[in-house]
Amino acid sequence: MAQPRKTYVVLVPFPYRGHWTAKDQKLDLLPCEARQLLRAGRIGDQSTQAVKKPAAKKAD
């Protein structure tokens, strides 16, 4: 049975399929492809990524 791909977000750029990835790029990877990249901290699980909110403006 084929393993399902999962979407990950690049935290630290790395070479992938002949090109360099970019920070915050989304990649669909197989579990066997993602295992070492997760362990090295180069990618993060998309579902666990914090949503970036704009900084609140300080009132004078």
Side-chain angles (χ1 to χ4, degrees), residues 7-8 10-12 17 22 24-25 28 45-46 51-52 55-56:
T7 302
Y8 296 91
V10 175
L11 303 176
V12 178
R17 295 186 180 177
D24 295 329
Q25 179 180 347
D28 290 329
D45 190 352
Q46 183 179 5
V51 177
K52 294 181 180 178

Side-chain angles (χ1 to χ4, degrees), residues 1-3 5-6 8 10-11 13-15 20-21 25-26 31 34-35 40 42-43 45 47 50 52-53 55-56:
M1 187 168 142
Q3 296 176 333
R5 292 183 177 268
K6 191 172 176 185
Y8 296 91
V10 175
L11 303 176
F14 58 93
W20 278 84
T21 58
Q25 179 180 347
K26 294 179 182 174
R35 194 171 296 122
R42 293 191 177 248
I43 61 172
D45 190 352
S47 63
K52 294 181 180 178
K53 296 181 181 179

